[in-house]
Amino acid sequence: MASLTDIAWSDFAALSLEAKRPYLARREGDGMPYHTLFAQQFDRALLVRLCALANRIRFINKSKEGALYLKSVLAHKRAMLYFSQPSSRTFLSHLAACQILGITTGSVRDAATSSEFKGESKEDSIRTFSSYFDMIIMRSPEQGLAEKMAWELSNSSRPIPILNAGSGKDQHPTQALLDIYTLVRSFENKGGLDGRTVVFCGDLLRGRTVRSLSYLLTNFRDVRQVFVAPKELQVPADVTDILTAKGVSYSVSGNLREAVRDADAVYMTRIQDEWDSSKGASARIDTSHFKFGAEELAVLKPDGVIMHPLPRRDEIATCCDHDPRAMYWRQMRNGMWIRAALIAATFGFEESVMNCGY
Ligand code: NCD
């Protein structure tokens, strides 16, 4: 069994994402991640298990008795939410997921209120959290920090799991899980997700949710991916290289209306201008053709769905909000269920929740 204690950081860091996967898995050998850092840790079997567990938790939570049972599952655990980048949904849904499972939480949402402000390194801060908590859920502008911390903690006297809640422009694995859960639920009684066409639109260059979801979709059969963006913000080669290597059919386009006609799901994203190299650089790009409005709604298939990781600016017109195909509100709530499932599974409670009497 591969373990992070058996490999030097520099050797681990040099591995491909697929090769890193066994080092991040639970020791019990059930394939489930211990540290959740990137989408490449999930294959189809794991996705099916997590969606089933999320469904189960959602169902159990409906009755008072069930909800009280769920609250007992991880009542002996504490989790630290360490978010050094802005967040509403990812923070709150992880918090709510912890609450569903009875986990006590602490949080730092602004480094200015922690000892980082006094010059403490992020590494030391995270070591500090591990003294008091049993899991760290972290979001950072720094790509690779969650991975480094996972290695550090696994090699410390208090190894605890890390959940990546967004790492720079790189990955957002739990968002991709909730996106998959939403897609699976959307097509549940309509023939499933295999064979569908998913259109990504917006800032595909710097959107971490796109990178993680694009990978997770490769676990499904014949899912075609279409990337619609202004050419300055088109999908980067590292994403399409994976699709090419896996033989996934994809195309790149500048025409949203046309792409929507063939789409089963349209995944809109906002312009990630916090990453602009010079202030206002994104504002000079013409993004006017990359917005979903009444005309796009009119050509979307009757069974099609509109998704967005949120927050939205003006990429989806509010006139779409009450259409039954607008899935972004449900998508947000699905985040709570799938994160509860992932956290329960991380701590080894998948089977007991699946088989409980509720
Ligand atoms: C996304 C993120 O932070 O990457 N939001 C989220 O987690 N729901 C997308 C975004 O900020 O545009």
Side-chain angles (χ1 to χ4, degrees):
M1 191 81 202
S3 163
L4 284 179
T5 54
D6 300 337
I7 185 166
W9 164 246
S10 54
D11 293 337
F12 177 71
L15 296 176
S16 71
L17 294 181
E18 274 85 1
K20 284 175 183 171
R21 182 181 162 170
Y23 289 93
L24 303 171
R26 280 166 39 80
R27 271 163 198 253
E28 286 69 11
D30 57 2
M32 198 56 78
Y34 176 73
H35 299 293
T36 296
L37 304 179
F38 36 77
Q40 278 76 355
Q41 290 177 259
F42 298 91
D43 58 17
R44 186 164 183 154
L46 276 180
L47 295 175
V48 168
R49 275 164 61 188
L50 283 173
C51 289
L53 185 56
N55 278 340
R56 192 80 183 95
I57 291 173
R58 192 160 54 83
F59 176 81
I60 297 169
N61 199 59
K62 287 185 198 295
S63 71
K64 181 175 178 183
E65 296 71 27
L68 289 175
Y69 157 74
L70 286 173
K71 272 193 154 311
S72 73
V73 172
L74 290 173
H76 57 303
K77 298 290 184 190
R78 292 182 299 278
M80 177 68 191
L81 293 132
Y82 172 49
F83 278 58
S84 51
Q85 261 188 318
S87 174
S88 302
R89 279 148 288 267
T90 307
F91 179 86
L92 290 173
S93 63
H94 274 111
L95 179 67
C98 287
Q99 288 169 342
I100 288 170
L101 298 167
I103 301 177
T104 311
T105 56
S107 65
V108 167
R109 301 201 62 176
D110 181 356
T113 65
S114 80
S115 282
E116 264 182 60
F117 196 65
K118 300 190 218 164
E120 184 167 64
S121 70
K122 293 186 183 70
E123 286 82 352
D124 284 4
S125 291
I126 291 169
R127 282 295 283 264
T128 305
F129 302 150
S130 76
S131 302
Y132 308 127
F133 294 93
D134 305 301
M135 164 179 267
I136 296 174
I137 302 165
M138 63 178 280
R139 165 171 285 195
S140 164
E142 219 176 293
Q143 174 175 342
L145 181 67
E147 191 174 321
K148 181 76 193 324
M149 291 307 109
W151 185 89
E152 292 278 354
L153 289 180
S154 281
N155 282 281
S156 77
S157 53
R158 259 200 60 80
I160 63 167
I162 296 240
L163 242 70
N164 175 9
S167 50
K169 285 177 273 189
D170 184 37
Q171 289 246 4
H172 196 345
T174 66
Q175 176 72 42
L177 290 176
L178 78 89
D179 294 336
I180 288 290
Y181 185 45
T182 302
L183 286 164
V184 166
R185 290 190 68 193
S186 298
F187 300 119
E188 200 162 22
N189 300 314
K190 297 170 181 165
L193 180 49
D194 292 320
R196 302 283 176 172
T197 296
V198 178
V199 170
F200 291 92
C201 177
D203 190 340
L204 310 182
L205 179 64
R206 302 173 293 186
R208 54 193 172 193
T209 67
V210 174
R211 175 174 288 100
S212 293
L213 178 57
S214 170
Y215 181 85
L216 281 195
L217 285 171
T218 67
N219 285 304
F220 293 82
R221 263 190 312 281
D222 302 327
V223 172
R224 203 173 110 74
Q225 302 188 24
V226 182
F227 300 99
V228 183
K231 59 180 184 323
E232 300 88 331
L233 301 175
Q234 255 305 355
V235 66
D238 70 290
V239 174
T240 52
D241 284 351
I242 291 174
L243 302 181
T244 306
K246 287 183 163 283
V248 172
S249 151
Y250 75 90
S251 60
V252 169
S253 157
N255 189 331
L256 178 61
R257 187 96 39 93
E258 196 180 276
V260 168
R261 285 179 202 284
D262 297 323
D264 295 295
V266 183
Y267 191 92
M268 299 299 298
T269 64
R270 99 187 140 83
I271 304 303
Q272 312 275 313
D273 47 15
E274 65 270 39
W275 300 107
D276 281 359
S277 45
S278 64
K279 209 172 160 38
S282 300
R284 290 191 285 275
I285 300 171
D286 181 7
T287 56
S288 57
H289 302 293
F290 303 93
K291 300 182 198 298
F292 195 104
E295 290 86 355
E296 286 70 29
L297 195 60
V299 297
L300 180 66
K301 290 178 186 175
D303 281 349
V305 293
I306 315 159
M307 294 170 63
H308 195 308
L310 303 176
R312 147 176 79 175
R313 287 179 181 166
D314 59 355
E315 317 73 57
I316 302 177
T318 51
C319 68
C320 303
D321 288 0
H322 296 289
D323 192 280
R325 294 167 290 181
M327 212 46 74
Y328 29 99
W329 312 121
R330 267 198 261 171
Q331 189 183 348
M332 188 156 56
R333 189 161 166 82
N334 282 339
M336 177 175 77
W337 302 122
I338 200 82
R339 284 167 171 141
L342 178 66
I343 293 169
T346 300
F347 284 115
F349 285 83
E350 177 187 6
E351 226 174 291
S352 55
V353 173
M354 286 305 284
N355 299 326
C356 77
Y358 296 97

